[in-house]
Amino acid sequence: MAEGQRPPEVDRIAASQKAVAARRARASLKRDLSTRVVSPQEVLRRALEDPTTPSGTMRVTEFLTAIPAIGVGKRDRILEELGISPVKRLGGLGARQQRELQTWLDWRVPQGRARQGRSRLLVLAGPTAVGKGTVAAKIREDHPDIMLSVSATTRAPRPGEQDGVHYFFVDDAEFDRMIAAGELLEWATVHNRHRYGTPRGPIEKALAEGRSVLLEIDLQGARQVRESDPSATLVFLLPPSWDELVNRLVGRGTEDAEERARRLRTAKTELAFQNEFDFRVVNEDVATAAREVVDLSEASAR
Ligand code: 5GP
């Protein structure tokens, strides 16, 4: 192109700034999709309503891989199945393609079925004070068919906690013995303090009986389970926001300032590891989060 035909310098700068802003907006939308802050159905709705929005200009390829548990291979198979070209943008889908994608999303989400070959062993982990315990308790209440593993711990019981129900409260010597005897499926020192571990026996028994098993454990434990049983389904419970997590932690009032600071440090590190998980569930409200986790356990058992 001859020099004289180029757009003026200012226009080119403005255009490139606009492109950068649009890319940023799409990246942030993809993050929201992958952390399930926004549903894929909602993004599709926005795209069709206005093809110039970040949703509308997002490529179908980017859209699909932002959905938890969809990788590149699966994405390509889905596009082929739906008859959608990978170069398409969401806002540019034809009427038939929109319908196909919508139907497919309704089948696949909110929970997204677990991958084939997943076991009934479901691990619920997430940063401290995100509400794992409350979600797990809700599941125990509504779904007695799912076995909730009772961990052993060296920490002292809190008021209202019962031995054998919330934890098996053991001393250091007993915990050492359990490790040495190979009785623990995984164990970890949590918040650099007390040890927590999952007794292996009850889990193997429940799995053998065809029941689903739910472990509510910390990140280190989740990694160990993944190593010893790669077919386990790992679910990461997310707070709606970091501020909310801090509020919940402070609001609980069961820990002193030093302990709270320690737990927040752990939580920051833990949040960074969510990508290792198969699914993310945002704990906006306990009943919904509990239902989503159960849906995953059922999907896993198929
Ligand atoms: P809390 O002391 O508040 O009951 O639990 C502290 C942390 O220990 C929580 O993040 C909880 O998920 C974790 N935890 C509880 N049981 C186990 C377990 O058996 N194994 C591991 N690795 N972590 C556990």
Side-chain angles (χ1 to χ4, degrees):
M1 195 192 282
E3 185 62 32
Q5 289 174 292
R6 279 211 194 147
E9 179 76 54
V10 275
D11 285 2
R12 268 186 289 135
I13 291 171
S16 94
Q17 279 171 346
K18 227 170 130 186
V20 169
R23 259 204 309 282
R24 283 220 183 104
R26 280 201 299 276
S28 142
L29 186 61
K30 277 195 284 184
R31 247 191 330 272
D32 285 352
L33 264 172
S34 68
T35 51
R36 306 199 47 215
V37 168
V38 62
S39 74
Q41 282 94 332
E42 169 63 13
V43 173
L44 181 59
R45 194 191 60 71
R46 291 183 201 163
L48 301 178
E49 201 173 68
D50 182 356
T52 64
T53 55
S55 304
T57 57
M58 184 182 277
R59 287 195 194 277
V60 281
T61 44
E62 294 178 282
F63 172 69
L64 286 175
T65 44
I67 299 173
I70 295 183
V72 172
K74 190 164 184 175
R75 172 197 76 190
D76 292 346
R77 281 196 299 280
I78 295 164
L79 287 176
E80 202 179 326
E81 198 182 305
L82 302 180
I84 298 175
S85 154
V87 299
K88 279 269 176 189
R89 292 180 189 269
L90 274 188
L93 295 175
R96 186 198 54 78
Q97 293 173 328
Q98 289 173 19
R99 266 197 317 276
E100 296 265 4
L101 184 57
Q102 184 72 59
T103 310
W104 183 84
L105 286 174
D106 289 344
W107 168 78
R108 171 68 173 65
V109 184
Q111 252 344 288
R113 296 176 187 224
R115 294 192 295 269
Q116 293 276 311
R118 301 262 104 196
S119 80
R120 289 168 193 267
L121 183 57
L122 197 69
V123 177
L124 181 63
T128 182
V130 72
K132 283 171 294 182
T134 325
V135 171
K138 178 77 180 143
I139 294 172
R140 176 168 41 203
E141 192 182 308
D142 293 348
H143 296 272
D145 48 312
I146 297 177
M147 193 200 111
L148 186 60
S149 161
V150 178
S151 301
T153 181
T154 57
R155 84 150 162 77
R158 293 195 188 114
E161 284 183 337
Q162 282 171 268
D163 188 39
V165 177
H166 299 95
Y167 283 105
F168 293 108
F169 296 99
V170 300
D171 60 16
D172 275 317
E174 172 61 6
F175 204 93
D176 286 341
R177 190 202 61 73
M178 292 172 100
I179 296 172
E183 288 177 18
L184 298 178
L185 176 67
E186 60 74 37
W187 68 272
T189 304
V190 181
H191 307 308
N192 293 323
R193 241 170 144 203
H194 301 293
R195 289 184 292 174
Y196 297 79
T198 305
R200 189 190 292 276
I203 291 174
E204 287 177 351
K205 183 165 172 288
L207 288 174
E209 287 167 357
R211 294 175 70 190
S212 292
V213 176
L214 179 66
L215 309 186
E216 184 253 291
I217 58 178
D218 88 319
L219 181 74
Q220 311 164 70
R223 278 184 168 162
Q224 290 174 46
V225 173
R226 159 125 301 164
E227 265 166 39
S228 64
D229 180 358
S231 72
T233 302
L234 268 52
V235 182
F236 195 93
L237 195 63
L238 277 166
S241 68
W242 174 255
D243 286 350
E244 179 61 28
L245 184 69
V246 175
N247 283 344
R248 287 181 194 184
L249 194 55
V250 174
R252 191 157 76 178
T254 45
E255 289 84 23
D256 60 24
E258 193 191 329
E259 177 63 17
R260 279 204 302 273
R262 193 204 315 274
R263 286 179 175 225
L264 279 175
R265 278 198 301 278
T266 311
K268 272 206 165 134
T269 323
E270 287 183 335
L271 273 178
F273 283 100
Q274 54 182 288
N275 289 339
E276 292 178 23
F277 284 65
D278 299 306
F279 295 100
R280 300 177 185 87
V281 168
V282 177
N283 189 15
E284 193 83 58
D285 85 284
V286 173
T288 310
R291 199 175 50 243
E292 291 187 3
V293 174
V294 170
D295 284 350
L296 284 176
S297 91
E298 284 167 0
S300 307
R302 264 182 214 123

